[in-house]
Amino acid sequence: MKILGISAFYHDSAAALVVDGQIIAAAQEERFTRRKHDPAFPAQAVQYCLNYNGLDLKDLDAVVFYDKPLLKFERLLETYYAFAPQGVRSFITSIPVWIKEKMFLKRLLREELEKIYGDEAAGIKLLFPEHHLSHAASAFYPSPFEEAAILTIDGVGEWATASICKGSGKELSILKELRFPHSLGLLYSAFTYFLGFKVNSGEYKLMGLAPYGNPASADVERYVDIIKNELVSIKEDGSIWLNQDYFNYATGLRMVHEAKWEALFGFPQRRPEDELQEQHCNLGLAIQRVTEDIVIRMAQEAKRLSGSRYLCLAGGVALNCVANGKLQESGVFDDIFIQPAAGDAGGALGAALAAYYIYFKQERKLSGRQDEMTGSYLGPDFSDQDVELVVRRYKGVYTYFNDIHELCTETARLLAEGNVVGWVQGRMEFGPRALGGRSILGDPRNAEMQKKLNLKIKYRESFRPFAPSVLAEDCDQYFNYRGISPYMLLVHPVATSRHKDLPADYHQLPLRDKLYYLRSDLPSITHIDFSARIQTVHKETNPRYYELIQSFKKLTGYGVIVNTSFNVRGEPIVCTPEDAYRCFMRTEMDYLVVGNYLFAKTAQPDWQEKDNWKEEFVLD
């Protein structure tokens, strides 16, 4: 049985192919179009998924869209009715688009598929599971658990903004829902907006900013009290009620009423390029604490309702790896699986799996593997011939290694000497994290590496932290954590034995002084609060990346390296060897490894393209 899942038309469009219950291929459209968070119909992702398995559209049993558009339209109409006469301007803007396009989604999907596959689209079966059911299916079915509680939290689907489900075998049932306009995802996005980051994109920046807040500051406690007393009422079961007097997302074109927020917190809304001040960091820490409180309460309620020992997580809020780490430390559940593509892109995969197990009632058989995501390496890969074409086009100069062991040894040496290396190997990752398939790498011992990567390679805000990739079996040597974290979705502390002493006035230091203070013997991956967003690397899912880190360990004694996504600010992660070579030549990266090819920057011909990529990819 062959099923194609699709998510589209809001943000992070994607396609995923499931064959006989096995996840064969999945990719986000942005990687092909080079437009970050591309919401368009995922034409190239669809073609990639089917081509990867040699299929035509007529070979499929169904195409499955990840939510129910009519229910979503119903929510829009009821919301405008409830808030009228507020929202007239937004109503006039959005409703015609809905009537013209999204309301008739079945017809729109067929038209888009016809553009690619012609008449084959006419008879294809189309299915529409609910949004949060798609999220829940994306987390439970690939998990290693026979039965589990499932918690999904995001901005909003049709009506639901969070759900608690129970999965058992092939069965999946919804136990409880939180409904729009009360939404943890939208609450977090409102703070993302107020603090000057882009909604649906900059939430992870807010999470990265939070640790710069002063945990001992009275302001943090004051902000937490304001949030809990004025903006959100939090119930014992984790459900929330948002005071709509302060929010504008239900019927307006902005997230909040800025003047009311400015009066509430005592400072103006931050503009995107404004310097970050202590008050911004403290407010970021306050909303992060409130978020963690709500997530843990929701998880406790999921435990109470399901009686399960295990938890699966999905939805955009499940990408908050700090909250995930706190939830894991809380011990509410014995073990947690988080869908690596937890946002809307993963909805494409969940829709396909929901159709396979729930609609078509197929049996579920656990393989005994770590999980069924195969390391999330589900995107395109490339051959030597593809790399040769790039070499010919740009007259690239390279060294070819027949032996992967020698290539890893040489790359490890370059890293240990302080070089920044682009690393493109095998299939591209599905989801927002680079996991050693499309990564930029560095030496975590190097105190200058964070600054170098942010300012000379990524061209982004200096406060942004970097994550470590560590050999799975060495994890507890570097971190206070013994489990696995293959998808970089958990934050845990750096091992206390590796900490450096801090001055008494550390929390009073300016942000930049705190940022570059030597905090451990792994300064480039030790976040300001001594935490790290860990990726455990496993030989079974990425043998080349595993061997590279092993080579680095033989050379330096450290089985851990810096891993950040292979892109510059505002750009989607690279997909092809050409994307990688262009990014390599446009930045101050020192070396590039694509498959068995090693490129040194100093050996390449002058870069002739004079286009300004900083305008092409604006700060997100």
Side-chain angles (χ1 to χ4, degrees):
M1 178 162 285
K2 306 171 186 69
I3 301 173
L4 181 73
I6 290 175
S7 60
F9 306 128
Y10 298 97
H11 53 87
D12 296 318
S13 293
L17 177 67
V18 171
V19 176
D20 296 333
Q22 187 179 354
I23 304 165
I24 301 297
Q28 292 140 273
E29 186 70 359
E30 65 167 26
R31 305 295 172 84
F32 303 100
T33 62
R34 313 307 301 151
R35 181 186 173 201
K36 199 162 187 180
H37 305 301
D38 194 337
F41 179 81
Q44 295 187 63
V46 166
Q47 291 174 83
Y48 153 68
C49 286
L50 296 193
N51 290 343
Y52 188 82
N53 213 42
L55 297 175
D56 290 319
L57 193 66
K58 61 180 169 49
D59 299 320
L60 298 176
D61 294 277
V63 173
V64 194
F65 191 71
Y66 78 135
D67 69 13
K68 287 184 180 295
L70 287 179
L71 271 181
K72 191 167 280 189
F73 188 63
E74 174 194 281
R75 187 249 299 168
L76 279 178
L77 288 179
E78 288 197 22
T79 302
Y80 282 120
Y81 180 74
F83 284 84
Q86 293 179 50
V88 170
R89 193 167 146 226
S90 170
F91 181 88
I92 293 170
T93 304
S94 63
I95 293 302
V97 176
W98 265 92
I99 292 175
K100 186 179 176 184
E101 296 180 358
K102 297 175 185 174
M103 233 183 98
F104 300 102
L105 196 62
K106 193 175 276 191
R107 184 178 69 192
L108 179 61
L109 288 174
R110 286 197 195 283
E111 288 174 354
E112 293 291 345
L113 291 169
E114 276 175 8
K115 291 177 187 173
I116 310 169
Y117 297 102
D119 293 343
E120 289 182 29
I124 196 74
K125 179 187 279 293
L126 293 175
L127 299 172
F128 297 85
E130 289 187 25
H131 186 95
H132 274 260
L133 182 68
S134 296
H135 275 320
S138 78
F140 175 62
Y141 291 121
S143 81
F145 310 133
E146 172 63 30
E147 68 87 31
I150 311 161
L151 180 58
T152 66
I153 317 170
D154 68 0
V156 60
E158 295 88 358
W159 278 101
T161 62
S163 74
I164 294 172
C165 302
K166 178 160 185 177
S168 181
K170 67 179 179 184
E171 307 296 333
L172 199 161
S173 54
I174 298 172
L175 304 178
K176 197 170 190 175
E177 284 185 347
L178 180 66
R179 304 196 105 200
F180 185 83
H182 309 296
S183 163
L184 177 56
L186 291 174
L187 175 66
Y188 204 81
S189 290
F191 280 86
T192 302
Y193 171 82
F194 187 69
L195 288 170
F197 305 119
K198 192 173 179 181
V199 172
N200 285 332
S201 177
E203 281 75 5
Y204 62 100
K205 293 185 187 180
L206 174 55
M207 183 182 67
L209 178 68
Y212 291 93
N214 182 353
S217 166
D219 277 346
V220 175
E221 291 304 321
R222 186 167 63 85
Y223 292 151
V224 168
D225 287 343
I226 292 171
I227 294 168
K228 289 186 173 180
N229 292 324
E230 302 294 337
L231 297 182
V232 55
S233 172
I234 304 170
K235 313 298 181 192
E236 193 61 33
D237 64 356
S239 61
I240 58 175
W241 181 89
L242 298 188
N243 183 351
Q244 293 300 307
D245 289 346
Y246 288 94
F247 298 92
N248 194 37
Y249 57 76
T251 55
L253 301 174
R254 305 185 313 279
M255 289 301 296
V256 305
H257 295 294
E258 291 89 344
K260 289 183 178 179
W261 278 53
E262 289 172 2
L264 203 58
F265 293 110
F267 60 86
Q269 181 187 12
R270 178 180 170 266
R271 304 299 167 192
E273 302 283 355
D274 287 354
E275 188 77 15
L276 284 160
Q277 306 290 338
E278 186 178 359
Q279 60 209 18
H280 304 129
C281 303
N282 286 339
L283 186 59
L285 179 57
I287 186 58
Q288 179 63 30
R289 284 184 178 176
V290 171
T291 300
E292 291 162 11
D293 178 20
I294 296 169
V295 168
I296 290 175
R297 285 173 191 252
M298 285 183 173
Q300 289 168 334
E301 180 68 359
K303 172 88 173 183
R304 187 185 72 79
L305 291 174
S306 68
S308 297
R309 295 170 55 198
Y310 306 107
L311 177 69
C312 298
L313 278 174
V317 177
L319 295 172
N320 192 315
C321 18
V322 180
N324 295 343
K326 296 283 174 61
L327 175 56
Q328 194 175 49
E329 286 174 4
S330 74
V332 177
F333 288 92
D334 291 358
D335 201 0
I336 299 173
F337 172 78
I338 307 161
Q339 164 55 236
D344 274 9
L349 174 61
L353 291 168
Y356 182 79
Y357 290 110
I358 300 172
Y359 182 85
F360 290 109
K361 301 183 186 305
Q362 298 297 299
E363 288 303 312
R364 177 171 179 245
K365 297 173 185 171
L366 294 178
S367 66
R369 292 194 293 261
Q370 180 177 288
D371 58 60
E372 305 303 318
M373 291 298 295
T374 59
S376 212
Y377 304 107
L378 296 166
D381 57 2
F382 296 92
S383 66
D384 280 2
Q385 187 179 6
D386 295 314
V387 185
E388 291 287 350
L389 290 174
V390 176
V391 167
R392 270 179 247 157
R393 177 168 182 175
Y394 295 105
K395 297 182 173 50
V397 179
Y398 64 86
T399 304
Y400 185 87
F401 288 78
N402 287 306
D403 184 342
I404 183 62
H405 178 71
E406 290 179 9
L407 174 63
C408 288
T409 302
E410 175 63 6
T411 306
R413 184 185 69 77
L414 296 171
L415 289 170
E417 288 178 353
N419 293 293
V420 175
V421 179
W423 178 257
V424 176
Q425 299 289 340
R427 299 183 71 181
M428 183 177 68
E429 304 88 340
F430 181 50
R433 305 282 180 250
L435 301 169
R438 304 289 184 276
S439 294
I440 297 173
L441 310 176
D443 183 346
R445 304 168 304 159
N446 188 324
E448 296 297 312
M449 189 55 63
Q450 181 177 1
K451 186 187 291 184
K452 182 175 182 180
L453 286 170
N454 269 332
L455 301 181
K456 294 189 173 183
I457 311 295
K458 307 281 279 189
Y459 302 99
R460 67 185 195 184
E461 302 92 335
S462 59
F463 74 86
R464 302 279 297 281
F466 290 99
S469 293
V470 59
L471 296 173
E473 63 272 22
D474 288 355
C475 186
D476 63 352
Q477 292 181 30
Y478 303 99
F479 309 101
N480 289 339
Y481 179 58
R482 287 183 175 274
I484 65 167
S485 178
Y487 304 117
M488 207 186 278
L489 289 169
L490 293 169
V491 167
H492 285 288
V494 170
T496 311
S497 59
R498 298 186 174 277
H499 291 194
K500 304 286 186 189
D501 292 335
L502 297 179
D505 63 344
Y506 177 73
H507 288 300
Q508 280 70 52
L509 293 175
L511 187 147
R512 289 185 190 282
D513 291 349
K514 272 198 274 189
L515 177 62
Y516 297 122
Y517 200 90
L518 196 65
R519 293 181 290 276
S520 79
D521 66 337
L522 297 165
S524 295
I525 56 87
T526 302
H527 202 5
I528 202 142
D529 60 354
F530 292 99
S531 67
R533 181 159 49 94
I534 302 166
Q535 180 201 1
T536 54
V537 179
H538 304 257
K539 190 174 185 178
E540 299 77 17
T541 50
N542 195 336
R544 283 196 170 209
Y545 196 37
Y546 182 88
E547 175 148 1
L548 171 63
I549 302 173
Q550 267 207 328
S551 299
F552 188 76
K553 182 181 178 182
K554 284 176 188 169
L555 196 63
T556 65
Y558 283 71
V560 56
I561 60 175
V562 180
N563 173 13
T564 186
S565 56
F566 199 145
N567 60 343
V568 293
R569 74 177 206 179
E571 180 193 22
I573 296 174
V574 301
C575 177
T576 65
E578 177 159 0
D579 296 338
Y581 189 82
R582 286 167 61 85
C583 187
F584 167 60
M585 292 303 295
R586 286 167 150 184
T587 65
E588 297 173 59
M589 210 178 303
D590 301 302
Y591 291 88
L592 170 67
V593 180
V594 184
N596 288 19
Y597 294 74
L598 173 64
F599 299 84
K601 176 64 69 60
T602 53
Q604 304 309 306
D606 288 342
W607 186 242
Q608 297 299 320
E609 294 189 9
K610 302 302 179 189
D611 51 337
N612 188 346
W613 65 264
K614 290 181 185 176
E615 292 180 2
E616 181 181 341
F617 301 117
V618 298
L619 186 65
D620 61 337

